[in-house]
């Protein structure tokens, strides 16, 4: 027994000595040092500090800290959620009807709001008016300073974000953040949001953008984030997005948005001018407008829901309403139904190409790779992937003289684009592009019916749709620019195509096809390409290994079943 005891004692001693020598050879594992929001106000924190946010009070403290202007980008702080946070007692469920949203208070049904009648009802039947009204103060982000750090949602969600007219007459900023600059937002879900807002220039002359995450964002990365069960009603705003209203050189990766948005236009820029309409407003699920030259702007992102443009004054895209410089998009999908827009595109409403130097022939193009639309898209101009792409400075360069637009490189590049949603356009409509500048399509396909619809009665006197303020200035000052092609909303100028409604400059279509039907009232119609515009330049078309297998029929009433094939269609 003593011998066994000695052996065990010796063995334990040996193991202890060995373990000590081994452990001493490895450094101790560092325990992450974290700080609280209160520490921001009581001590100097080191750069790259991680600061935890545990509840609504902490979120309010962060907003106060942002407002002081003490937060700066050089600190590289990371703010991390430790729990789900409710901004109010309200939660929301988005309905398939874009005008309705269900409101719960403390998890009990409180009301159903109908945007069409601007009325609260007791239930979905909309039979009994409710006396519901929002109680308390809505979340109000500071509008004077930008958030310029990292915000890690840590897999948690924020609920209860709401705002309603007259609940706070002084409120001019909506969203979780008023603005982002050089920020990184990751791993965050905003579940349930209700924003009804009228833009009043007398209260806020600087910011006419609206978004649930942020109204304005620049040089920021938004990664692994989600907006769910959201409802927005926006009147007179320039830039509206379910995620961000206005974006500059931001990157969106693995972002998912599901929302209903209704757009209203009160006083318009062309009020009193009936012959043309200037489209400068923009709306998209990820962002209303996008500017900048990020090579990975939209990656692996999805959008779903509905966007309705009540007055057809917006450029609307499922992901991005209007891109005002080079845009890159890959592996993105849209399932957002877009209704009655001025310009409508499944992924991007309108995209402007700006030459990167005086040699306009070598511009950075719009580039889209493996993108898909599955939803119904309708507007004056409508395309399954892009509503319209155009040369932003063409009219400035051309003035009154003929201008050579034979670009050496394509301007609108789409590879692996697919559309299966129906396209309805009164002027230009295409399965992939409504109207495109120097397009290059490869491995693209359309499976959605394309219909040349009748114009809304309110558009009867409208002869032209103008895509940018530059166009508008020249349109009104130089009569020689008012060519037949600019009179683009007239029946005789309408065109639809299985892939592209109308294009100008060099056009390339390879390994692509349309297998859906086309129905036209008066529009020029082609199985693959409706029209190559020659108003400004002789068209050059290169097409290889492409086919059209759907039917082309004519319906002059715009509503009766198609009855006549269009003869001599050779576009396929």
């Amino acid at each position: 027994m003593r011998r066994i005891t000695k052996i065990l004692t010796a063995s334990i001693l040996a193991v202890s000595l060995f373990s000590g020598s081994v452990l001493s050879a490895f450094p101790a594992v560092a325990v992450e040092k974290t700080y609280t929001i209160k520490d921001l106000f009581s001590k100097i924190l080191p750069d790259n500090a991680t600061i935890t946010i545990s509840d609504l009070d902490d979120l309010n403290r962060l907003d106060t800290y942002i407002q002081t202007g003490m937060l700066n980008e050089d600190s590289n702080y990371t703010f991390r959620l430790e729990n789900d946070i409710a901004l109010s007692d309200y939660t929301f469920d988005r309905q398939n009807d874009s005008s309705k949203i269900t409101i719960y208070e403390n998890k009990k049904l409180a009301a159903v709001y109908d945007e069409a009648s601007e009325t609260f009802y007791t239930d979905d039947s909309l039979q009994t008016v409710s006396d519901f009204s929002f109680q308390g103060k809505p979340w109000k982000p500071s509008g004077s300073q930008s958030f310029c750090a990292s915000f890690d949602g840590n897999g948690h969600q924020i609920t209860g974000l709401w705002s309603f007219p007259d609940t706070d007459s002084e409120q001019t900023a909506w969203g979780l953040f008023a603005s982002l600059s050089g920020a990184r937002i990751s791993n965050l879900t905003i579940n349930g949001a209700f924003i009804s807002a009228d833009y009043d220039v007398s209260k806020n002359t600087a910011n006419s953008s609206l978004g649930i995450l942020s109204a304005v964002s620049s040089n920021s990365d938004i990664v692994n984030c989600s907006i769910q069960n959201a409802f927005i009603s926006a009147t007179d705003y320039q830039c509206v997005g379910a995620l961000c209203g206005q974006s500059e050189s931001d990157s969106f990766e693995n972002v998912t948005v599901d929302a209903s948005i209704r757009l209203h236009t009160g006083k318009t820029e062309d009020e009193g001018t009936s012959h043309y309409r200037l489209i400068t407003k923009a709306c998209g699920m990820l962002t209303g407008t996008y500017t900048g030259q990020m090579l990975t702007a939209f990656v692996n992102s999805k959008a779903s829901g509905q966007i309705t443009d009540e007055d057809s004054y917006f450029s609307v895209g499922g992901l991005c309403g209007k891109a005002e410089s080079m845009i890159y998009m890959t592996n993105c999908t849209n399932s957002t139904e877009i209704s009655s827009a001025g310009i409508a595109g499944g992924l991007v409403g309108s995209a402007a190409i700006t030459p990167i130097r005086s040699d306009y022939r070598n511009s950075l193009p719009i580039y889209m790779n493996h993108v898909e639309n599955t939803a119904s898209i309708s507007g004056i101009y409508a395309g399954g992937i892009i509503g319209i792409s155009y040369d932003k400075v063409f009219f400035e360069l051309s003035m009154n003289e003929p201008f050579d637009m034979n670009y050496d490189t394509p301007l609108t590049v789409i590879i692996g684009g697919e559309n299966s949603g129906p396209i309805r356009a009164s002027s230009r409509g295409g399965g992939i592009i409504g109207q495109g500048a120097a397009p290059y399509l490869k491995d693209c396909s359309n499976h959605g019916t394309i219909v040349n619809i009748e114009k809304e009665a309110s558009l009867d006197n409208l002869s032209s749709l103008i895509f940018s303020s530059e166009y508008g200035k020249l349109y009104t000052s130089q009569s020689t620019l008012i060519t037949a092609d600019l009179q683009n909303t007239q029946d005789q100028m309408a065109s639809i195509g299985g892939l592209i409604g109308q294009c100008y400059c060099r056009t390339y279509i390879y390994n692509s096809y349309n297998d859906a039907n086309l129905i036209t009232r008066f529009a020029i119609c082609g199985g693959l390409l409706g029209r190559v515009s020659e108003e400004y330049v002789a068209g050059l078309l290169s097409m290889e290994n492409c086919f059209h297998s759907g039917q082309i029929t004519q319906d002059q009433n715009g509503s009766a079943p198609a009855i006549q094939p269009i003869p001599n269609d050779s576009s396929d």
Side-chain angles (χ1 to χ4, degrees):
M1 187 65 170
R2 291 178 181 174
R3 185 181 179 188
I4 294 175
T5 303
K6 290 180 179 179
I7 293 173
L8 290 173
T9 302
S11 299
I12 293 170
L13 180 60
V15 170
S16 299
L17 291 172
F18 177 75
S19 298
S21 64
V22 172
L23 290 175
S24 65
F26 292 92
V29 177
V31 177
E32 181 188 25
K33 174 66 174 177
T34 60
Y35 301 86
T36 67
I37 290 288
K38 292 180 180 179
D39 291 332
L40 283 171
F41 298 91
S42 61
K43 61 180 70 174
I44 298 176
L45 303 188
D47 291 348
N48 304 306
T50 296
I51 303 157
T52 60
I53 299 174
S54 299
D55 53 28
L56 181 56
D57 288 340
D58 280 351
L59 209 54
N60 278 303
R61 291 185 186 102
L62 171 59
D63 189 64
T64 300
Y65 188 74
I66 296 171
Q67 194 169 3
T68 65
M70 296 171 65
L71 182 64
N72 64 81
E73 191 173 347
D74 294 335
S75 298
N76 292 320
Y77 289 159
T78 295
F79 296 89
R80 188 176 69 198
L81 284 188
E82 297 298 296
N83 303 291
D84 293 348
I85 294 179
L87 302 180
S88 68
D89 292 331
Y90 299 108
T91 53
F92 309 95
D93 275 342
R94 185 186 72 79
Q95 299 196 16
N96 290 330
D97 184 340
S98 65
S99 68
K100 296 194 296 185
I101 187 167
T102 305
I103 305 168
Y104 299 89
E105 186 174 5
N106 293 317
K107 300 183 179 180
K108 294 181 179 180
L109 177 64
V112 173
Y113 179 69
D114 177 51
E115 170 66 17
S117 61
E118 298 184 345
T119 303
F120 292 101
Y121 293 90
T122 57
D123 56 39
D124 284 343
S125 67
L126 306 186
Q127 297 299 310
T128 305
V129 176
S130 170
D131 61 359
F132 171 85
S133 63
F134 284 102
Q135 302 299 314
K137 294 280 189 179
W139 172 257
K140 184 178 179 180
S142 60
S144 58
Q145 300 291 335
S146 297
F147 179 77
C148 55
S150 293
F151 189 96
D152 182 2
N154 200 24
H156 294 292
Q157 64 178 8
I158 291 176
T159 61
L161 193 153
W162 68 273
S163 181
F164 197 70
D166 301 326
T167 55
D168 187 346
S169 60
E170 299 301 319
Q171 182 163 354
T172 58
W174 288 265
L176 185 61
F177 300 99
S179 62
L180 303 173
S181 178
R184 178 180 173 85
I185 312 297
S186 61
N187 309 314
L188 175 66
T189 295
I190 299 177
N191 190 353
F194 179 103
I195 297 178
S196 180
D198 299 346
Y199 181 71
D200 186 345
V201 70
S202 67
K203 291 195 299 184
N204 189 352
T205 59
N207 183 15
S208 61
S209 300
L210 187 153
I212 291 172
L213 177 65
S214 177
V216 178
S217 179
S218 63
N219 300 298
S220 297
D221 296 327
I222 301 172
V223 183
N224 300 329
C225 290
S226 176
I227 302 287
Q228 302 295 327
N229 290 313
F231 177 91
I232 295 175
S233 173
T235 300
D236 283 337
Y237 277 84
Q238 274 303 112
C239 307
V240 180
L243 190 72
C244 299
Q246 185 175 346
S247 170
E248 180 180 357
S249 297
D250 293 321
S251 175
F252 303 90
E253 185 173 357
N254 296 327
V255 173
T256 302
V257 175
D258 179 72
S260 291
I261 302 177
R262 295 184 75 84
L263 306 166
H264 309 271
T265 301
K267 183 178 180 180
T268 62
E269 297 174 40
D270 57 355
E271 189 171 5
T273 306
S274 60
H275 61 282
Y276 80 92
R277 175 164 295 181
L278 181 60
I279 303 294
T280 59
K281 302 177 186 294
C283 176
M285 286 298 189
L286 270 65
T287 181
T289 61
Y290 180 87
T291 58
Q293 295 185 353
M294 283 294 295
L295 293 178
T296 56
F298 299 85
V299 179
N300 298 332
S301 295
K302 300 178 181 179
S304 59
Q306 299 95 21
I307 301 176
T308 302
D309 180 4
E310 297 283 357
D311 306 299
S312 302
Y313 269 92
F314 277 75
S315 174
V316 180
L319 272 70
C320 173
K322 185 174 186 178
E324 296 186 327
S325 59
M326 189 198 85
I327 185 170
Y328 178 96
M329 186 176 290
T330 184
N331 295 327
C332 292
T333 301
N334 175 63
S335 300
T336 306
E337 296 180 4
I338 299 174
S339 302
S340 64
I343 300 171
L347 281 295
V348 178
S350 60
I353 304 101
T354 303
I356 58 175
R357 56 179 183 269
S358 58
D359 179 10
Y360 71 92
R361 298 174 185 272
N362 291 290
S363 302
L364 288 172
I366 301 160
Y367 183 83
M368 306 177 76
N369 182 34
H370 291 97
V371 290
E372 180 182 10
N373 173 68
T374 63
S376 172
I377 308 295
S378 72
I380 300 174
Y381 278 45
I385 304 300
I386 297 178
I388 178 173
S389 66
Y390 60 96
D391 181 345
K392 189 175 181 180
V393 298
F394 163 62
F395 283 122
E396 292 179 342
L397 294 173
S398 61
M399 303 302 286
N400 285 321
E401 300 298 325
F403 185 63
D404 178 10
M405 292 179 66
N406 284 314
Y407 299 90
D408 288 342
T409 58
L411 299 184
T412 312
V413 178
I414 303 177
I415 299 175
E418 181 177 4
N419 173 65
S420 57
I423 307 298
R424 298 168 59 82
S426 60
S427 180
R428 310 284 161 78
I432 303 298
I433 304 174
Q435 176 169 302
Y440 177 100
L441 304 187
K442 183 179 180 182
D443 301 328
C444 292
S445 60
N446 173 63
H447 318 289
T449 302
I450 301 170
V451 183
N452 169 221
I453 60 175
E454 189 172 5
K455 290 189 298 187
E456 299 287 340
S458 60
L459 304 178
D460 281 346
N461 295 325
L462 188 70
S463 64
S464 302
L465 204 64
I466 311 300
F467 315 125
S468 71
S469 57
E470 289 87 357
Y471 280 29
K473 293 173 186 176
L474 289 164
Y475 186 100
T476 55
S477 64
Q478 300 185 43
S479 59
T480 55
L481 289 175
I482 307 178
T483 65
D485 187 54
L486 271 177
Q487 296 174 2
N488 49 35
T489 65
Q490 299 299 298
D491 284 336
Q492 66 268 25
M493 295 307 301
S495 57
I496 61 174
L499 297 178
I500 304 174
Q502 175 169 303
C503 60
Y504 62 87
C505 304
R506 298 184 179 185
T507 299
Y508 308 87
I509 306 177
Y510 301 132
N511 302 330
S512 300
Y513 67 93
N514 167 56
D515 58 13
N517 297 335
L518 293 92
I519 302 172
T520 180
R521 294 174 60 250
F522 299 102
I524 299 170
C525 183
L528 293 178
L529 175 59
R531 179 173 182 260
V532 178
S533 173
E534 296 187 356
E535 264 71 31
Y536 314 116
V537 61
L540 185 152
L541 174 64
S542 176
M543 187 180 301
E544 295 180 7
N545 196 28
C546 299
F547 70 88
H548 155 66
S549 61
Q551 293 184 335
I552 299 177
T553 53
Q554 186 175 22
D555 171 16
Q556 294 186 359
N557 295 320
S559 58
I563 53 175
Q564 290 183 339
I566 293 180
N568 301 323
D569 174 59
S570 60
S571 62
D572 57 340

